Amino acid sequence: MANIKSAKKRVKTTAKKTAANRVVKDGIKEALKTFDAQIAAGQLEEAAATRTDAEKKLKKAAAKHTISSQAASRKVSQITKKLNAANAAK
Protein backbone atom coordinates (compact mmCIF):
# COMPACT_ATOMS: atom_id res chain seq x y z
CA MET A 1 0.00 0.00 0.00
CA ALA A 2 1.16 3.51 -0.77
CA ASN A 3 2.47 5.75 2.03
CA ILE A 4 2.24 9.15 0.36
CA LYS A 5 -1.14 10.88 0.42
CA SER A 6 -1.23 11.58 -3.33
CA ALA A 7 -0.31 7.96 -4.08
CA LYS A 8 -3.15 6.75 -1.84
CA LYS A 9 -5.52 9.01 -3.76
CA ARG A 10 -4.25 7.63 -7.09
CA VAL A 11 -4.91 4.08 -5.86
CA LYS A 12 -8.53 5.00 -5.10
CA THR A 13 -8.94 6.87 -8.39
CA THR A 14 -7.49 4.00 -10.40
CA ALA A 15 -9.83 1.54 -8.69
CA LYS A 16 -12.86 3.69 -9.58
CA LYS A 17 -11.76 4.10 -13.20
CA THR A 18 -11.02 0.38 -13.51
CA ALA A 19 -14.51 -0.46 -12.24
CA ALA A 20 -16.13 1.99 -14.66
CA ASN A 21 -14.10 0.66 -17.59
CA ARG A 22 -15.00 -2.91 -16.66
CA VAL A 23 -18.71 -2.06 -16.77
CA VAL A 24 -18.33 -0.56 -20.24
CA LYS A 25 -16.28 -3.47 -21.58
CA ASP A 26 -18.69 -6.03 -20.10
CA GLY A 27 -21.58 -4.23 -21.82
CA ILE A 28 -19.74 -4.42 -25.14
CA LYS A 29 -18.98 -8.12 -24.70
CA GLU A 30 -22.61 -8.85 -23.80
CA ALA A 31 -23.88 -6.99 -26.87
CA LEU A 32 -21.46 -8.86 -29.14
CA LYS A 33 -22.43 -12.24 -27.64
CA THR A 34 -26.11 -11.42 -28.09
CA PHE A 35 -25.46 -10.40 -31.69
CA ASP A 36 -23.61 -13.65 -32.44
CA ALA A 37 -26.39 -15.71 -30.85
CA GLN A 38 -29.04 -13.92 -32.91
CA ILE A 39 -27.09 -14.44 -36.14
CA ALA A 40 -26.69 -18.14 -35.32
CA ALA A 41 -30.43 -18.42 -34.62
CA GLY A 42 -31.32 -16.62 -37.84
CA GLN A 43 -33.00 -13.68 -36.10
CA LEU A 44 -31.74 -11.07 -38.55
CA GLU A 45 -34.07 -8.20 -37.61
CA GLU A 46 -33.12 -8.47 -33.94
CA ALA A 47 -29.47 -8.86 -34.92
CA ALA A 48 -29.64 -5.63 -36.92
CA ALA A 49 -30.99 -3.78 -33.89
CA THR A 50 -28.36 -5.35 -31.66
CA ARG A 51 -25.64 -4.39 -34.15
CA THR A 52 -26.73 -0.76 -33.94
CA ASP A 53 -26.65 -0.93 -30.14
CA ALA A 54 -23.23 -2.59 -30.13
CA GLU A 55 -21.87 -0.01 -32.58
CA LYS A 56 -23.08 2.79 -30.33
CA LYS A 57 -21.42 1.19 -27.28
CA LEU A 58 -18.17 0.61 -29.17
CA LYS A 59 -17.95 4.15 -30.52
CA LYS A 60 -18.77 5.63 -27.12
CA ALA A 61 -16.08 3.51 -25.45
CA ALA A 62 -13.58 4.58 -28.11
CA ALA A 63 -14.49 8.23 -27.64
CA LYS A 64 -13.76 7.91 -23.91
CA HIS A 65 -10.52 5.98 -24.59
CA THR A 66 -11.76 2.86 -22.82
CA ILE A 67 -10.82 0.92 -25.94
CA SER A 68 -8.80 2.07 -28.91
CA SER A 69 -10.60 3.63 -31.84
CA GLN A 70 -8.98 1.06 -34.15
CA ALA A 71 -10.36 -1.81 -32.07
CA ALA A 72 -13.83 -0.25 -32.08
CA SER A 73 -13.76 0.26 -35.85
CA ARG A 74 -12.51 -3.29 -36.39
CA LYS A 75 -15.30 -4.80 -34.27
CA VAL A 76 -17.97 -2.67 -35.98
CA SER A 77 -16.65 -3.79 -39.34
CA GLN A 78 -16.64 -7.44 -38.28
CA ILE A 79 -20.24 -7.44 -37.02
CA THR A 80 -21.46 -5.50 -40.06
CA LYS A 81 -19.76 -8.02 -42.32
CA LYS A 82 -21.40 -10.92 -40.43
CA LEU A 83 -24.82 -9.30 -40.70
CA ASN A 84 -24.41 -8.61 -44.43
CA ALA A 85 -23.28 -12.19 -45.03
CA ALA A 86 -26.27 -13.54 -43.11
CA ASN A 87 -28.66 -11.31 -45.08
CA ALA A 88 -27.08 -12.42 -48.36
CA ALA A 89 -27.44 -16.10 -47.41
CA LYS A 90 -31.08 -15.62 -46.48
Side-chain angles (χ1 to χ4, degrees):
M1 182 66 188
N3 291 325
I4 298 171
K5 188 174 184 179
S6 62
K8 289 179 182 178
K9 182 179 177 184
R10 292 306 302 167
V11 168
K12 286 183 188 176
T13 305
T14 302
K16 286 180 186 176
K17 287 185 178 185
T18 301
N21 288 342
R22 186 173 294 128
V23 168
V24 171
K25 287 182 178 183
D26 287 347
I28 291 170
K29 287 178 192 172
E30 187 62 36
L32 294 176
K33 285 180 185 178
T34 303
F35 174 80
D36 287 337
Q38 289 171 339
I39 289 290
Q43 301 170 337
L44 300 182
E45 293 81 17
E46 293 86 354
T50 305
R51 188 201 69 82
T52 305
D53 181 49
E55 181 177 358
K56 182 178 177 183
K57 288 181 180 183
L58 285 163
K59 299 231 176 181
K60 191 171 183 180
K64 294 186 176 192
H65 303 290
T66 303
I67 62 172
S68 72
S69 59
Q70 291 90 352
S73 294
R74 184 176 61 248
K75 289 184 185 293
V76 168
S77 178
Q78 287 171 347
I79 62 176
T80 303
K81 191 174 178 181
K82 280 183 186 178
L83 184 63
N84 290 342
N87 280 329
K90 180 180 172 184

Coordinates of all heavy atoms in Angstrom, one line a residue:
M1 N 0.8 -1.2 0.0 CA 0.0 0.0 0.0 C 0.9 1.2 0.0 O 1.9 1.3 0.6 CB -0.9 0.0 1.2 CG -1.9 1.1 1.4 SD -3.1 1.0 0.0 CE -3.9 2.6 0.3
A2 N 0.4 2.3 -0.7 CA 1.2 3.5 -0.8 C 1.2 4.2 0.6 O 0.3 4.1 1.4 CB 0.5 4.4 -1.8
N3 N 2.3 5.0 0.8 CA 2.5 5.7 2.0 C 2.2 7.2 1.8 O 1.7 7.9 2.7 CB 3.9 5.6 2.6 CG 4.2 4.2 3.1 OD1 3.3 3.6 3.6 ND2 5.4 3.7 2.8
I4 N 2.4 7.7 0.6 CA 2.2 9.2 0.4 C 0.8 9.4 0.1 O 0.1 8.6 -0.6 CB 3.1 9.6 -0.8 CG1 4.6 9.3 -0.4 CG2 2.9 11.0 -1.2 CD1 5.6 9.5 -1.6
K5 N 0.3 10.6 0.5 CA -1.1 10.9 0.4 C -1.6 10.9 -1.0 O -2.7 10.4 -1.4 CB -1.4 12.2 1.1 CG -2.9 12.6 1.2 CD -3.1 13.8 2.0 CE -4.6 14.1 2.1 NZ -4.8 15.3 2.9
S6 N -0.8 11.5 -1.9 CA -1.2 11.6 -3.3 C -1.2 10.2 -4.0 O -2.1 9.9 -4.8 CB -0.3 12.5 -4.1 OG 1.0 12.0 -4.1
A7 N -0.3 9.3 -3.5 CA -0.3 8.0 -4.1 C -1.5 7.2 -3.6 O -2.1 6.4 -4.3 CB 1.0 7.3 -3.7
K8 N -1.9 7.4 -2.4 CA -3.2 6.8 -1.8 C -4.4 7.2 -2.6 O -5.2 6.4 -3.0 CB -3.4 7.1 -0.4 CG -2.3 6.5 0.6 CD -2.6 6.9 2.0 CE -1.5 6.3 2.9 NZ -1.7 6.7 4.3
K9 N -4.4 8.5 -3.0 CA -5.5 9.0 -3.8 C -5.5 8.4 -5.2 O -6.6 8.0 -5.7 CB -5.4 10.5 -3.9 CG -6.6 11.1 -4.6 CD -6.5 12.6 -4.7 CE -7.6 13.2 -5.6 NZ -7.5 14.6 -5.7
R10 N -4.3 8.2 -5.8 CA -4.3 7.6 -7.1 C -4.7 6.2 -7.1 O -5.3 5.7 -8.0 CB -2.8 7.7 -7.6 CG -2.3 9.1 -8.0 CD -3.2 9.9 -8.9 NE -3.4 9.2 -10.1 CZ -4.3 9.5 -11.1 NH1 -5.1 10.5 -10.9 NH2 -4.4 8.8 -12.2
V11 N -4.4 5.5 -6.0 CA -4.9 4.1 -5.9 C -6.4 4.0 -5.9 O -7.0 3.2 -6.6 CB -4.3 3.4 -4.6 CG1 -5.0 2.1 -4.3 CG2 -2.8 3.2 -4.7
K12 N -7.1 4.9 -5.1 CA -8.5 5.0 -5.1 C -9.1 5.4 -6.5 O -10.1 4.8 -7.0 CB -9.0 6.0 -4.1 CG -8.9 5.6 -2.6 CD -9.5 6.7 -1.8 CE -9.2 6.5 -0.3 NZ -9.7 7.6 0.5
T13 N -8.5 6.4 -7.1 CA -8.9 6.9 -8.4 C -8.8 5.8 -9.5 O -9.7 5.6 -10.3 CB -8.1 8.1 -8.8 OG1 -8.2 9.1 -7.8 CG2 -8.6 8.7 -10.1
T14 N -7.7 5.1 -9.4 CA -7.5 4.0 -10.4 C -8.5 2.9 -10.2 O -9.0 2.3 -11.2 CB -6.1 3.4 -10.3 OG1 -5.1 4.5 -10.5 CG2 -5.8 2.4 -11.3
A15 N -8.8 2.6 -9.0 CA -9.8 1.5 -8.7 C -11.2 1.9 -9.2 O -11.9 1.1 -9.8 CB -9.9 1.3 -7.2
K16 N -11.6 3.2 -9.1 CA -12.9 3.7 -9.6 C -12.9 3.6 -11.1 O -13.9 3.2 -11.7 CB -13.1 5.1 -9.1 CG -13.5 5.3 -7.7 CD -13.7 6.7 -7.3 CE -13.9 6.9 -5.8 NZ -14.1 8.3 -5.5
K17 N -11.8 4.1 -11.7 CA -11.8 4.1 -13.2 C -11.8 2.7 -13.8 O -12.4 2.4 -14.8 CB -10.5 4.9 -13.7 CG -10.6 6.3 -13.5 CD -9.4 7.0 -14.1 CE -9.6 8.5 -14.0 NZ -8.5 9.3 -14.7
T18 N -11.1 1.8 -13.1 CA -11.0 0.4 -13.5 C -12.4 -0.2 -13.4 O -12.8 -0.9 -14.4 CB -10.0 -0.4 -12.6 OG1 -8.7 0.2 -12.7 CG2 -10.0 -1.9 -13.1
A19 N -13.1 0.1 -12.4 CA -14.5 -0.5 -12.2 C -15.4 0.1 -13.3 O -16.2 -0.7 -13.9 CB -15.1 -0.1 -10.9
A20 N -15.3 1.4 -13.6 CA -16.1 2.0 -14.7 C -15.8 1.4 -16.0 O -16.7 1.1 -16.8 CB -15.9 3.5 -14.7
N21 N -14.5 1.2 -16.3 CA -14.1 0.7 -17.6 C -14.6 -0.8 -17.7 O -14.9 -1.2 -18.8 CB -12.6 0.7 -17.8 CG -12.1 2.2 -18.0 OD1 -12.9 3.0 -18.4 ND2 -10.8 2.4 -17.8
R22 N -14.5 -1.5 -16.6 CA -15.0 -2.9 -16.7 C -16.5 -3.0 -17.0 O -16.9 -3.9 -17.8 CB -14.7 -3.6 -15.3 CG -15.0 -5.1 -15.3 CD -14.6 -5.8 -14.1 NE -13.1 -5.8 -14.0 CZ -12.5 -5.4 -12.9 NH1 -13.1 -4.9 -11.8 NH2 -11.2 -5.4 -12.8
V23 N -17.3 -2.1 -16.5 CA -18.7 -2.1 -16.8 C -18.9 -1.8 -18.3 O -19.7 -2.5 -18.9 CB -19.4 -1.0 -15.9 CG1 -20.8 -0.7 -16.4 CG2 -19.4 -1.4 -14.5
V24 N -18.2 -0.9 -18.8 CA -18.3 -0.6 -20.2 C -17.9 -1.8 -21.1 O -18.6 -2.1 -22.0 CB -17.5 0.7 -20.6 CG1 -17.5 0.9 -22.1 CG2 -18.1 1.9 -19.9
K25 N -16.8 -2.3 -20.8 CA -16.3 -3.5 -21.6 C -17.2 -4.7 -21.5 O -17.4 -5.4 -22.4 CB -14.9 -3.8 -21.1 CG -13.8 -2.8 -21.6 CD -12.4 -3.3 -21.2 CE -11.4 -2.3 -21.7 NZ -10.0 -2.7 -21.3
D26 N -17.7 -4.9 -20.3 CA -18.7 -6.0 -20.1 C -20.0 -5.8 -20.9 O -20.5 -6.7 -21.5 CB -19.1 -6.2 -18.6 CG -17.9 -6.8 -17.8 OD1 -17.0 -7.3 -18.4 OD2 -18.0 -6.8 -16.6
G27 N -20.4 -4.6 -21.0 CA -21.6 -4.2 -21.8 C -21.3 -4.5 -23.3 O -22.2 -5.0 -24.0
I28 N -20.1 -4.2 -23.7 CA -19.7 -4.4 -25.1 C -19.7 -5.9 -25.4 O -20.3 -6.4 -26.4 CB -18.4 -3.8 -25.5 CG1 -18.5 -2.3 -25.5 CG2 -17.8 -4.3 -26.8 CD1 -17.2 -1.5 -25.5
K29 N -19.1 -6.7 -24.5 CA -19.0 -8.1 -24.7 C -20.4 -8.8 -24.7 O -20.6 -9.7 -25.5 CB -18.2 -8.7 -23.6 CG -16.7 -8.5 -23.7 CD -16.0 -9.1 -22.5 CE -14.5 -8.6 -22.4 NZ -13.9 -9.0 -21.1
E30 N -21.2 -8.3 -23.8 CA -22.6 -8.9 -23.8 C -23.4 -8.6 -25.1 O -24.0 -9.4 -25.6 CB -23.4 -8.3 -22.6 CG -24.7 -8.9 -22.4 CD -24.6 -10.4 -22.1 OE1 -23.7 -10.8 -21.4 OE2 -25.5 -11.1 -22.5
A31 N -23.2 -7.3 -25.6 CA -23.9 -7.0 -26.9 C -23.3 -7.8 -28.0 O -24.1 -8.3 -28.9 CB -23.7 -5.5 -27.2
L32 N -22.0 -8.1 -28.1 CA -21.5 -8.9 -29.1 C -21.9 -10.3 -29.0 O -22.2 -11.0 -30.1 CB -19.9 -8.7 -29.1 CG -19.4 -7.4 -29.5 CD1 -17.9 -7.3 -29.3 CD2 -19.8 -6.9 -30.8
K33 N -22.0 -10.9 -27.8 CA -22.4 -12.2 -27.6 C -23.9 -12.4 -28.1 O -24.3 -13.4 -28.7 CB -22.3 -12.7 -26.2 CG -20.8 -12.9 -25.8 CD -20.8 -13.4 -24.3 CE -19.3 -13.5 -23.9 NZ -19.2 -13.9 -22.4
T34 N -24.7 -11.4 -27.7 CA -26.1 -11.4 -28.1 C -26.2 -11.4 -29.6 O -27.0 -12.1 -30.2 CB -26.9 -10.2 -27.5 OG1 -26.7 -10.3 -26.1 CG2 -28.3 -10.2 -27.8
F35 N -25.4 -10.5 -30.2 CA -25.5 -10.4 -31.7 C -25.1 -11.7 -32.3 O -25.8 -12.2 -33.3 CB -24.5 -9.3 -32.1 CG -24.3 -9.2 -33.6 CD1 -25.2 -8.6 -34.4 CD2 -23.2 -9.8 -34.3 CE1 -25.1 -8.5 -35.8 CE2 -23.1 -9.7 -35.6 CZ -24.0 -9.1 -36.4
D36 N -24.0 -12.4 -31.9 CA -23.6 -13.7 -32.4 C -24.7 -14.7 -32.3 O -24.9 -15.5 -33.2 CB -22.3 -14.1 -31.8 CG -21.1 -13.3 -32.3 OD1 -21.2 -12.7 -33.4 OD2 -20.1 -13.3 -31.6
A37 N -25.3 -14.7 -31.1 CA -26.4 -15.7 -30.8 C -27.6 -15.5 -31.8 O -28.2 -16.4 -32.3 CB -26.8 -15.6 -29.4
Q38 N -27.9 -14.2 -32.0 CA -29.0 -13.9 -32.9 C -28.7 -14.3 -34.4 O -29.6 -14.8 -35.1 CB -29.4 -12.4 -32.8 CG -30.1 -12.1 -31.5 CD -30.2 -10.6 -31.2 OE1 -29.6 -9.8 -31.9 NE2 -31.1 -10.3 -30.3
I39 N -27.5 -14.1 -34.8 CA -27.1 -14.4 -36.1 C -27.2 -16.0 -36.3 O -27.7 -16.5 -37.3 CB -25.7 -13.9 -36.5 CG1 -25.7 -12.4 -36.6 CG2 -25.1 -14.6 -37.7 CD1 -26.3 -11.9 -37.9
A40 N -26.7 -16.7 -35.3 CA -26.7 -18.1 -35.3 C -28.1 -18.7 -35.4 O -28.4 -19.7 -36.0 CB -25.9 -18.7 -34.1
A41 N -29.0 -18.0 -34.7 CA -30.4 -18.4 -34.6 C -31.2 -18.0 -35.8 O -32.4 -18.3 -36.0 CB -31.1 -17.9 -33.3
G42 N -30.6 -17.1 -36.7 CA -31.3 -16.6 -37.8 C -32.3 -15.5 -37.6 O -33.1 -15.2 -38.4
Q43 N -32.1 -14.8 -36.4 CA -33.0 -13.7 -36.1 C -32.3 -12.4 -36.6 O -31.7 -11.6 -35.9 CB -33.2 -13.6 -34.6 CG -33.8 -14.8 -34.0 CD -33.7 -14.8 -32.5 OE1 -32.9 -14.1 -31.9 NE2 -34.6 -15.6 -31.8
L44 N -32.5 -12.1 -37.9 CA -31.7 -11.1 -38.6 C -32.3 -9.7 -38.2 O -31.5 -8.7 -38.1 CB -31.8 -11.3 -40.1 CG -31.1 -12.6 -40.6 CD1 -31.1 -12.6 -42.1 CD2 -29.7 -12.7 -40.0
E45 N -33.6 -9.5 -38.0 CA -34.1 -8.2 -37.6 C -33.6 -7.8 -36.2 O -33.1 -6.7 -36.0 CB -35.6 -8.2 -37.6 CG -36.2 -8.3 -39.0 CD -36.3 -9.8 -39.5 OE1 -36.1 -10.7 -38.6 OE2 -36.4 -10.0 -40.7
E46 N -33.6 -8.8 -35.3 CA -33.1 -8.5 -33.9 C -31.6 -8.3 -34.0 O -31.1 -7.4 -33.2 CB -33.5 -9.6 -33.0 CG -34.9 -9.8 -32.7 CD -35.6 -10.7 -33.7 OE1 -35.0 -11.1 -34.7 OE2 -36.8 -10.9 -33.5
A47 N -30.9 -9.0 -34.8 CA -29.5 -8.9 -34.9 C -29.1 -7.5 -35.5 O -28.1 -6.9 -35.0 CB -28.9 -10.0 -35.8
A48 N -29.9 -7.0 -36.4 CA -29.6 -5.6 -36.9 C -29.8 -4.6 -35.8 O -29.0 -3.6 -35.7 CB -30.6 -5.3 -38.1
A49 N -30.8 -4.7 -35.0 CA -31.0 -3.8 -33.9 C -29.9 -3.9 -32.9 O -29.4 -2.9 -32.4 CB -32.3 -4.0 -33.2
T50 N -29.4 -5.1 -32.6 CA -28.4 -5.4 -31.7 C -27.0 -4.8 -32.2 O -26.2 -4.3 -31.5 CB -28.2 -6.8 -31.3 OG1 -29.5 -7.3 -30.9 CG2 -27.2 -7.1 -30.3
R51 N -26.9 -4.9 -33.5 CA -25.6 -4.4 -34.2 C -25.6 -2.9 -34.0 O -24.5 -2.3 -33.6 CB -25.6 -4.7 -35.6 CG -24.3 -4.3 -36.3 CD -24.4 -4.2 -37.8 NE -25.1 -3.0 -38.2 CZ -24.6 -1.7 -38.2 NH1 -23.4 -1.5 -37.9 NH2 -25.4 -0.7 -38.5
T52 N -26.7 -2.2 -34.1 CA -26.7 -0.8 -33.9 C -26.4 -0.4 -32.5 O -25.6 0.5 -32.3 CB -28.1 -0.2 -34.3 OG1 -28.5 -0.6 -35.6 CG2 -28.2 1.3 -34.2
D53 N -26.9 -1.2 -31.6 CA -26.7 -0.9 -30.1 C -25.2 -1.2 -29.8 O -24.5 -0.4 -29.1 CB -27.5 -1.8 -29.3 CG -27.3 -1.6 -27.8 OD1 -27.3 -0.5 -27.4 OD2 -27.1 -2.6 -27.1
A54 N -24.6 -2.3 -30.4 CA -23.2 -2.6 -30.1 C -22.3 -1.5 -30.7 O -21.3 -1.1 -30.1 CB -22.9 -4.0 -30.7
E55 N -22.7 -1.1 -31.9 CA -21.9 0.0 -32.6 C -21.8 1.3 -31.7 O -20.8 1.9 -31.5 CB -22.4 0.3 -34.0 CG -21.6 1.3 -34.7 CD -22.1 1.6 -36.1 OE1 -23.1 1.0 -36.6 OE2 -21.5 2.5 -36.8
K56 N -23.0 1.6 -31.2 CA -23.1 2.8 -30.3 C -22.2 2.6 -29.1 O -21.4 3.5 -28.7 CB -24.5 3.0 -29.9 CG -24.8 4.2 -29.1 CD -26.2 4.4 -28.7 CE -26.4 5.6 -27.8 NZ -27.8 5.7 -27.4
K57 N -22.2 1.4 -28.5 CA -21.4 1.2 -27.3 C -19.9 1.2 -27.6 O -19.1 1.8 -26.9 CB -21.8 -0.1 -26.7 CG -23.1 -0.1 -26.0 CD -23.4 -1.5 -25.3 CE -24.8 -1.4 -24.6 NZ -25.1 -2.7 -24.0
L58 N -19.6 0.6 -28.8 CA -18.2 0.6 -29.2 C -17.6 2.0 -29.4 O -16.5 2.4 -29.0 CB -18.0 -0.3 -30.4 CG -18.1 -1.8 -30.2 CD1 -18.3 -2.5 -31.5 CD2 -16.8 -2.3 -29.5
K59 N -18.4 2.8 -30.2 CA -17.9 4.2 -30.5 C -17.9 5.0 -29.3 O -17.0 5.9 -29.2 CB -18.9 4.8 -31.6 CG -18.9 4.0 -32.8 CD -18.6 4.8 -34.0 CE -18.6 3.9 -35.2 NZ -18.3 4.6 -36.4
K60 N -18.8 4.9 -28.4 CA -18.8 5.6 -27.1 C -17.6 5.3 -26.3 O -16.9 6.1 -25.7 CB -20.1 5.4 -26.3 CG -20.3 6.3 -25.2 CD -21.6 6.2 -24.6 CE -21.9 7.2 -23.5 NZ -23.2 7.0 -22.9
A61 N -17.3 4.0 -26.2 CA -16.1 3.5 -25.5 C -14.8 4.0 -26.1 O -13.9 4.4 -25.4 CB -16.1 2.0 -25.4
A62 N -14.8 4.1 -27.4 CA -13.6 4.6 -28.1 C -13.4 6.1 -27.9 O -12.3 6.6 -27.7 CB -13.7 4.3 -29.6
A63 N -14.5 6.8 -27.9 CA -14.5 8.2 -27.6 C -14.0 8.6 -26.2 O -13.3 9.6 -26.1 CB -15.9 8.8 -27.8
K64 N -14.2 7.7 -25.3 CA -13.8 7.9 -23.9 C -12.4 7.2 -23.6 O -12.0 7.1 -22.5 CB -14.8 7.4 -22.9 CG -16.1 8.3 -23.0 CD -17.1 7.9 -21.9 CE -18.3 8.9 -22.0 NZ -19.1 8.8 -20.9
H65 N -11.8 6.7 -24.7 CA -10.5 6.0 -24.6 C -10.5 4.8 -23.7 O -9.5 4.4 -23.1 CB -9.4 7.0 -24.1 CG -9.3 8.1 -25.1 ND1 -8.8 8.0 -26.3 CD2 -9.6 9.4 -24.9 CE1 -8.8 9.2 -26.9 NE2 -9.3 10.1 -26.0
T66 N -11.7 4.1 -23.6 CA -11.8 2.9 -22.8 C -11.2 1.8 -23.7 O -10.5 0.9 -23.2 CB -13.2 2.5 -22.4 OG1 -13.7 3.6 -21.7 CG2 -13.3 1.3 -21.6
I67 N -11.5 1.8 -25.0 CA -10.8 0.9 -25.9 C -10.3 1.8 -27.0 O -10.7 3.0 -27.2 CB -11.8 -0.1 -26.5 CG1 -13.0 0.5 -27.3 CG2 -12.3 -1.1 -25.4 CD1 -13.8 -0.4 -28.0
S68 N -9.4 1.3 -27.8 CA -8.8 2.1 -28.9 C -9.8 2.3 -30.0 O -10.7 1.4 -30.2 CB -7.5 1.4 -29.4 OG -7.8 0.3 -30.2
S69 N -9.7 3.4 -30.7 CA -10.6 3.6 -31.8 C -10.4 2.6 -33.0 O -11.4 2.2 -33.6 CB -10.4 5.0 -32.4 OG -9.1 5.2 -32.8
Q70 N -9.2 2.1 -33.1 CA -9.0 1.1 -34.2 C -9.7 -0.2 -33.8 O -10.3 -0.9 -34.7 CB -7.5 0.8 -34.3 CG -6.7 1.9 -34.9 CD -6.2 2.9 -33.9 OE1 -6.5 2.8 -32.7 NE2 -5.3 3.8 -34.3
A71 N -9.7 -0.6 -32.5 CA -10.4 -1.8 -32.1 C -11.9 -1.7 -32.3 O -12.5 -2.6 -32.7 CB -10.0 -2.1 -30.6
A72 N -12.4 -0.5 -31.9 CA -13.8 -0.3 -32.1 C -14.2 -0.3 -33.6 O -15.2 -1.0 -33.9 CB -14.2 1.1 -31.5
S73 N -13.5 0.3 -34.4 CA -13.8 0.3 -35.9 C -13.7 -1.2 -36.4 O -14.5 -1.6 -37.2 CB -12.8 1.1 -36.6 OG -13.0 2.5 -36.3
R74 N -12.7 -1.9 -35.9 CA -12.5 -3.3 -36.4 C -13.7 -4.2 -36.0 O -14.2 -4.9 -36.8 CB -11.2 -3.9 -35.8 CG -10.9 -5.3 -36.3 CD -9.6 -5.8 -35.8 NE -9.5 -5.8 -34.3 CZ -8.8 -5.0 -33.6 NH1 -8.0 -4.1 -34.1 NH2 -8.8 -5.2 -32.3
K75 N -14.2 -4.0 -34.7 CA -15.3 -4.8 -34.3 C -16.6 -4.4 -35.0 O -17.4 -5.3 -35.3 CB -15.5 -4.7 -32.8 CG -14.4 -5.4 -32.0 CD -14.6 -5.3 -30.5 CE -13.4 -5.9 -29.7 NZ -13.3 -7.3 -29.9
V76 N -16.8 -3.1 -35.2 CA -18.0 -2.7 -36.0 C -17.9 -3.3 -37.4 O -19.0 -3.8 -37.9 CB -18.0 -1.1 -36.0 CG1 -19.1 -0.7 -37.0 CG2 -18.3 -0.6 -34.6
S77 N -16.8 -3.2 -38.0 CA -16.6 -3.8 -39.3 C -16.9 -5.3 -39.3 O -17.6 -5.8 -40.2 CB -15.2 -3.5 -39.9 OG -15.1 -4.1 -41.1
Q78 N -16.4 -6.0 -38.3 CA -16.6 -7.4 -38.3 C -18.1 -7.8 -38.1 O -18.6 -8.7 -38.8 CB -15.9 -8.0 -37.1 CG -14.4 -8.1 -37.3 CD -13.6 -8.5 -36.1 OE1 -14.1 -8.5 -35.0 NE2 -12.3 -8.8 -36.2
I79 N -18.8 -7.1 -37.2 CA -20.2 -7.4 -37.0 C -21.1 -7.0 -38.2 O -22.1 -7.7 -38.6 CB -20.8 -6.9 -35.7 CG1 -20.8 -5.4 -35.6 CG2 -20.1 -7.5 -34.5 CD1 -21.4 -4.8 -34.4
T80 N -20.7 -5.9 -38.9 CA -21.5 -5.5 -40.1 C -21.3 -6.5 -41.2 O -22.2 -6.9 -41.9 CB -21.0 -4.1 -40.5 OG1 -21.2 -3.2 -39.4 CG2 -21.8 -3.6 -41.7
K81 N -20.1 -7.0 -41.3 CA -19.8 -8.0 -42.3 C -20.5 -9.3 -42.1 O -21.1 -9.9 -43.0 CB -18.3 -8.3 -42.3 CG -17.8 -9.1 -43.5 CD -16.2 -9.2 -43.4 CE -15.7 -10.1 -44.5 NZ -14.2 -10.2 -44.5
K82 N -20.6 -9.7 -40.8 CA -21.4 -10.9 -40.4 C -22.9 -10.7 -40.8 O -23.5 -11.6 -41.3 CB -21.3 -11.2 -38.9 CG -20.0 -11.9 -38.5 CD -20.1 -12.2 -37.0 CE -18.7 -12.8 -36.5 NZ -18.8 -13.0 -35.1
L83 N -23.4 -9.6 -40.4 CA -24.8 -9.3 -40.7 C -25.1 -9.3 -42.2 O -26.1 -9.9 -42.7 CB -25.3 -8.0 -40.1 CG -26.7 -7.6 -40.2 CD1 -27.6 -8.7 -39.5 CD2 -27.0 -6.3 -39.6
N84 N -24.2 -8.7 -43.0 CA -24.4 -8.6 -44.4 C -24.3 -10.0 -45.0 O -25.1 -10.3 -45.9 CB -23.4 -7.7 -45.1 CG -23.7 -6.2 -44.7 OD1 -24.7 -5.9 -44.3 ND2 -22.6 -5.4 -44.9
A85 N -23.4 -10.8 -44.5 CA -23.3 -12.2 -45.0 C -24.5 -13.0 -44.7 O -25.0 -13.8 -45.5 CB -22.0 -12.8 -44.5
A86 N -25.1 -12.8 -43.5 CA -26.3 -13.5 -43.1 C -27.5 -13.1 -44.0 O -28.3 -13.9 -44.4 CB -26.6 -13.3 -41.6
N87 N -27.6 -11.8 -44.2 CA -28.7 -11.3 -45.1 C -28.5 -11.8 -46.5 O -29.5 -12.1 -47.2 CB -28.7 -9.8 -45.1 CG -29.3 -9.2 -43.8 OD1 -30.2 -9.8 -43.3 ND2 -28.9 -8.1 -43.4
A88 N -27.3 -11.9 -47.0 CA -27.1 -12.4 -48.4 C -27.4 -13.9 -48.5 O -27.9 -14.4 -49.5 CB -25.6 -12.2 -48.8
A89 N -27.2 -14.7 -47.4 CA -27.4 -16.1 -47.4 C -28.9 -16.4 -47.2 O -29.4 -17.5 -47.5 CB -26.6 -16.8 -46.3
K90 N -29.7 -15.4 -46.8 CA -31.1 -15.6 -46.5 C -31.9 -15.9 -47.7 O -31.8 -15.5 -48.8 CB -31.6 -14.4 -45.7 CG -33.1 -14.5 -45.4 CD -33.5 -13.2 -44.6 CE -35.0 -13.2 -44.4 NZ -35.4 -12.0 -43.8

